[in-house]
Amino acid sequence: HHRMGVVQARLGELNVALEHLSRALRHDPDHAGAYTQAGQVLLTQERHAEGERALRTAMKVDPLAEEAYHRLGTFYLRQGKAEEGRFLLDIFARLKKVSRDLQKTRQLLILYPEDPSLRAGLGAILQDLGRPEDALVEYRRALAAAPGDTKTRNNLANVLLRQGQTQAAITEYLQIL
């Protein structure tokens, strides 16, 4: 249904596209590509609040959904929200820069979803992309599988410290000692 939604959108059949994309999302509620495409269709239909919500959902279910950042950032610039637009387009540019490593990590995570080194690596990529909350999730998943990994624990503590969670950071640093 996702692909049919994309095709219908390209043909200008926006309502038909949304029907297919809705079906795709009922089948897989975490399909970032379907949310991204639906967001673009909704923006094209000038249903801005719904389009923005769909693109934000795409970024929430997949913090690495490049196209969602690009489309929402571009929309914000057109709407005069320069700061928000530039912020999202900066993330898009950084995602593009690391896309090869990112793609490789994502493919390996499909095969080995709980591999601690892959989760820690994804956490580092997310941290570099300015997504500290998502990085924390990945670092914690890595540490759940490998609690003795001092590098990952240090990375987790550094993110916590940058977020002003000093006591939580100290707790993590103490576990390294």
Side-chain angles (χ1 to χ4, degrees):
H1 289 289
H2 170 246
R3 295 214 188 274
M4 280 301 294
V6 171
V7 169
Q8 293 298 324
R10 287 188 184 151
L11 293 173
E13 297 292 336
L14 302 182
N15 290 328
V16 175
L18 283 175
E19 289 174 23
H20 283 287
L21 295 165
S22 293
R23 286 186 198 130
L25 290 168
R26 278 194 299 275
H27 183 308
D28 179 3
D30 290 334
H31 195 302
Y35 280 114
T36 300
Q37 187 63 46
Q40 183 61 45
V41 169
L42 291 162
L43 291 178
T44 301
Q45 292 180 324
E46 297 191 19
R47 295 163 62 183
H48 295 165
E50 293 171 88
E52 181 179 353
R53 191 169 34 255
L55 291 168
R56 289 226 170 259
T57 302
M59 292 184 287
K60 182 179 179 187
V61 298
D62 181 1
L64 309 173
E66 295 175 26
E67 196 60 32
Y69 289 97
H70 183 263
R71 291 182 184 197
L72 189 56
T74 302
F75 170 72
Y76 281 162
L77 288 178
R78 284 190 302 233
Q79 295 295 307
K81 298 178 180 179
E83 187 175 334
E84 297 97 324
R86 281 193 299 271
F87 176 75
L88 293 173
L89 291 174
D90 180 56
I91 292 174
F92 168 74
R94 287 187 277 161
L95 279 169
K96 280 299 211 192
K97 199 182 265 187
V98 298
S99 64
R100 179 177 290 148
D101 289 341
L102 191 55
Q103 185 67 16
K104 180 180 172 186
T105 300
R106 292 179 99 182
Q107 288 172 345
L108 288 170
L109 280 169
I110 291 169
L111 297 172
Y112 310 103
E114 297 307 318
D115 182 285
S117 63
L118 292 173
R119 290 285 165 197
L122 181 55
I125 291 170
L126 290 165
Q127 185 177 346
D128 289 344
L129 291 171
R131 301 291 303 252
E133 290 298 325
D134 298 314
L136 288 173
V137 169
E138 296 303 331
Y139 288 145
R140 286 182 175 129
R141 285 183 77 177
L143 288 169
D149 183 342
T150 57
K151 181 178 178 183
T152 299
R153 191 164 303 280
N154 187 66
N155 288 345
L156 172 68
N158 290 340
V159 173
L160 290 168
L161 191 61
R162 282 189 206 104
Q163 289 191 313
Q165 298 180 43
T166 308
Q167 192 55 51
I170 290 170
T171 300
E172 296 298 333
Y173 286 132
L174 288 173
Q175 290 187 49
I176 295 170
L177 301 177

